[in-house]
mmCIF file of all heavy atoms in Angstrom:
data_model
loop_
_atom_site.group_PDB
_atom_site.id
_atom_site.type_symbol
_atom_site.label_atom_id
_atom_site.label_comp_id
_atom_site.label_asym_id
_atom_site.label_seq_id
_atom_site.Cartn_x
_atom_site.Cartn_y
_atom_site.Cartn_z
ATOM 1 N N GLY A 13 -7.067 138.089 33.222
ATOM 2 C CA GLY A 13 -5.777 137.620 32.718
ATOM 3 C C GLY A 13 -5.800 136.121 32.468
ATOM 4 O O GLY A 13 -6.801 135.438 32.690
ATOM 5 N N VAL A 14 -4.690 135.614 31.971
ATOM 6 C CA VAL A 14 -4.521 134.176 31.730
ATOM 7 C C VAL A 14 -3.185 133.760 32.347
ATOM 8 O O VAL A 14 -2.145 134.169 31.854
ATOM 9 C CB VAL A 14 -4.516 133.846 30.218
ATOM 10 C CG1 VAL A 14 -4.438 132.331 30.020
ATOM 11 C CG2 VAL A 14 -5.748 134.411 29.512
ATOM 12 N N PRO A 15 -3.172 132.998 33.463
ATOM 13 C CA PRO A 15 -4.331 132.471 34.172
ATOM 14 C C PRO A 15 -4.982 133.500 35.090
ATOM 15 O O PRO A 15 -4.333 134.444 35.532
ATOM 16 C CB PRO A 15 -3.724 131.342 35.015
ATOM 17 C CG PRO A 15 -2.331 131.806 35.319
ATOM 18 C CD PRO A 15 -1.897 132.584 34.104
ATOM 19 N N GLN A 16 -6.272 133.290 35.350
ATOM 20 C CA GLN A 16 -7.012 134.101 36.320
ATOM 21 C C GLN A 16 -6.879 133.440 37.673
ATOM 22 O O GLN A 16 -6.988 132.212 37.787
ATOM 23 C CB GLN A 16 -8.472 134.178 35.877
ATOM 24 C CG GLN A 16 -9.383 134.935 36.843
ATOM 25 C CD GLN A 16 -10.778 135.105 36.282
ATOM 26 O OE1 GLN A 16 -10.959 135.548 35.160
ATOM 27 N NE2 GLN A 16 -11.790 134.729 37.061
ATOM 28 N N TRP A 17 -6.682 134.220 38.722
ATOM 29 C CA TRP A 17 -6.306 133.700 40.051
ATOM 30 C C TRP A 17 -7.241 132.641 40.593
ATOM 31 O O TRP A 17 -6.820 131.743 41.318
ATOM 32 C CB TRP A 17 -6.183 134.864 41.046
ATOM 33 C CG TRP A 17 -7.491 135.536 41.364
ATOM 34 C CD1 TRP A 17 -8.124 136.492 40.610
ATOM 35 C CD2 TRP A 17 -8.338 135.301 42.495
ATOM 36 N NE1 TRP A 17 -9.296 136.871 41.208
ATOM 37 C CE2 TRP A 17 -9.458 136.157 42.373
ATOM 38 C CE3 TRP A 17 -8.266 134.463 43.612
ATOM 39 C CZ2 TRP A 17 -10.493 136.192 43.307
ATOM 40 C CZ3 TRP A 17 -9.297 134.504 44.545
ATOM 41 C CH2 TRP A 17 -10.397 135.359 44.384
ATOM 42 N N ASN A 18 -8.551 132.730 40.278
ATOM 43 C CA ASN A 18 -9.493 131.787 40.899
ATOM 44 C C ASN A 18 -10.070 130.806 39.878
ATOM 45 O O ASN A 18 -11.156 130.288 40.070
ATOM 46 C CB ASN A 18 -10.637 132.553 41.567
ATOM 47 C CG ASN A 18 -11.462 133.355 40.562
ATOM 48 O OD1 ASN A 18 -11.064 133.514 39.418
ATOM 49 N ND2 ASN A 18 -12.599 133.851 40.993
ATOM 50 N N CYS A 19 -9.335 130.577 38.785
ATOM 51 C CA CYS A 19 -9.911 129.782 37.702
ATOM 52 C C CYS A 19 -9.004 128.617 37.309
ATOM 53 O O CYS A 19 -7.793 128.779 37.173
ATOM 54 C CB CYS A 19 -10.145 130.674 36.488
ATOM 55 S SG CYS A 19 -11.077 129.824 35.201
ATOM 56 N N ALA A 20 -9.641 127.458 37.145
ATOM 57 C CA ALA A 20 -8.916 126.261 36.700
ATOM 58 C C ALA A 20 -9.516 125.730 35.406
ATOM 59 O O ALA A 20 -9.541 124.525 35.167
ATOM 60 C CB ALA A 20 -8.939 125.186 37.787
ATOM 61 N N CYS A 21 -10.026 126.635 34.562
ATOM 62 C CA CYS A 21 -10.541 126.216 33.250
ATOM 63 C C CYS A 21 -9.357 125.727 32.407
ATOM 64 O O CYS A 21 -8.198 125.928 32.776
ATOM 65 C CB CYS A 21 -11.260 127.391 32.571
ATOM 66 S SG CYS A 21 -10.160 128.655 31.907
ATOM 67 N N PRO A 22 -9.632 125.057 31.261
ATOM 68 C CA PRO A 22 -8.510 124.540 30.462
ATOM 69 C C PRO A 22 -7.496 125.626 30.080
ATOM 70 O O PRO A 22 -6.281 125.373 30.103
ATOM 71 C CB PRO A 22 -9.216 123.972 29.218
ATOM 72 C CG PRO A 22 -10.592 123.607 29.694
ATOM 73 C CD PRO A 22 -10.948 124.634 30.728
ATOM 74 N N GLY A 23 -7.963 126.833 29.774
ATOM 75 C CA GLY A 23 -7.037 127.915 29.395
ATOM 76 C C GLY A 23 -6.147 128.323 30.552
ATOM 77 O O GLY A 23 -4.931 128.487 30.405
ATOM 78 N N CYS A 24 -6.738 128.482 31.736
ATOM 79 C CA CYS A 24 -5.951 128.910 32.900
ATOM 80 C C CYS A 24 -5.019 127.798 33.382
ATOM 81 O O CYS A 24 -3.854 128.047 33.701
ATOM 82 C CB CYS A 24 -6.883 129.366 34.020
ATOM 83 S SG CYS A 24 -7.762 130.894 33.629
ATOM 84 N N SER A 25 -5.548 126.569 33.428
ATOM 85 C CA SER A 25 -4.691 125.447 33.836
ATOM 86 C C SER A 25 -3.563 125.255 32.828
ATOM 87 O O SER A 25 -2.417 124.978 33.207
ATOM 88 C CB SER A 25 -5.514 124.164 33.948
ATOM 89 O OG SER A 25 -6.526 124.325 34.913
ATOM 90 N N ARG A 28 -0.867 127.636 33.511
ATOM 91 C CA ARG A 28 -0.046 127.288 34.684
ATOM 92 C C ARG A 28 0.969 126.196 34.320
ATOM 93 O O ARG A 28 2.091 126.187 34.814
ATOM 94 C CB ARG A 28 -0.936 126.842 35.853
ATOM 95 C CG ARG A 28 -1.731 127.984 36.433
ATOM 96 C CD ARG A 28 -2.456 127.656 37.726
ATOM 97 N NE ARG A 28 -3.229 128.840 38.116
ATOM 98 C CZ ARG A 28 -4.533 129.006 37.841
ATOM 99 N NH1 ARG A 28 -5.215 128.044 37.262
ATOM 100 N NH2 ARG A 28 -5.135 130.134 38.171
ATOM 101 N N PHE A 231 -19.297 129.705 32.739
ATOM 102 C CA PHE A 231 -18.910 130.827 33.598
ATOM 103 C C PHE A 231 -19.814 132.047 33.455
ATOM 104 O O PHE A 231 -19.655 133.027 34.167
ATOM 105 C CB PHE A 231 -17.465 131.257 33.316
ATOM 106 C CG PHE A 231 -16.475 130.174 33.603
ATOM 107 C CD1 PHE A 231 -15.647 129.687 32.596
ATOM 108 C CD2 PHE A 231 -16.381 129.631 34.864
ATOM 109 C CE1 PHE A 231 -14.738 128.678 32.860
ATOM 110 C CE2 PHE A 231 -15.478 128.615 35.142
ATOM 111 C CZ PHE A 231 -14.646 128.135 34.131
ATOM 112 N N ASN A 267 -10.157 136.341 26.348
ATOM 113 C CA ASN A 267 -10.631 135.816 27.628
ATOM 114 C C ASN A 267 -9.989 134.448 27.874
ATOM 115 O O ASN A 267 -9.604 133.753 26.928
ATOM 116 C CB ASN A 267 -12.153 135.694 27.625
ATOM 117 C CG ASN A 267 -12.701 135.478 29.026
ATOM 118 O OD1 ASN A 267 -12.405 136.260 29.925
ATOM 119 N ND2 ASN A 267 -13.444 134.406 29.231
ATOM 120 N N ASN A 268 -9.935 134.052 29.156
ATOM 121 C CA ASN A 268 -9.275 132.766 29.447
ATOM 122 C C ASN A 268 -10.065 131.568 28.911
ATOM 123 O O ASN A 268 -9.534 130.476 28.819
ATOM 124 C CB ASN A 268 -8.970 132.637 30.945
ATOM 125 C CG ASN A 268 -10.116 133.089 31.808
ATOM 126 O OD1 ASN A 268 -11.250 132.667 31.631
ATOM 127 N ND2 ASN A 268 -9.822 133.989 32.732
ATOM 128 N N THR A 269 -11.339 131.766 28.530
ATOM 129 C CA THR A 269 -12.124 130.689 27.927
ATOM 130 C C THR A 269 -11.885 130.554 26.427
ATOM 131 O O THR A 269 -12.362 129.607 25.801
ATOM 132 C CB THR A 269 -13.633 130.952 28.130
ATOM 133 O OG1 THR A 269 -13.926 132.268 27.638
ATOM 134 C CG2 THR A 269 -14.022 130.863 29.600
ATOM 135 N N ASN A 270 -11.163 131.494 25.829
ATOM 136 C CA ASN A 270 -10.992 131.497 24.368
ATOM 137 C C ASN A 270 -10.067 130.354 23.940
ATOM 138 O O ASN A 270 -8.946 130.240 24.451
ATOM 139 C CB ASN A 270 -10.397 132.851 23.943
ATOM 140 C CG ASN A 270 -10.436 133.050 22.445
ATOM 141 O OD1 ASN A 270 -10.164 132.128 21.678
ATOM 142 N ND2 ASN A 270 -10.773 134.253 22.025
ATOM 143 N N ASN A 273 -6.180 130.538 23.312
ATOM 144 C CA ASN A 273 -5.112 130.515 24.317
ATOM 145 C C ASN A 273 -4.217 129.292 24.171
ATOM 146 O O ASN A 273 -3.062 129.316 24.590
ATOM 147 C CB ASN A 273 -5.707 130.551 25.733
ATOM 148 C CG ASN A 273 -6.168 131.937 26.117
ATOM 149 O OD1 ASN A 273 -5.372 132.885 26.117
ATOM 150 N ND2 ASN A 273 -7.452 132.086 26.403
HETATM 151 ZN ZN1 ZN B 301 -9.906 130.323 33.324
#
Side-chain angles (χ1 to χ4, degrees):
V14 184
Q16 177 174 309
W17 68 278
N18 63 348
C19 188
C21 75
C24 292
S25 300
R28 290 189 183 97
F231 298 120
N267 194 54
N268 44 51
T269 53
N270 191 319
N273 283 302

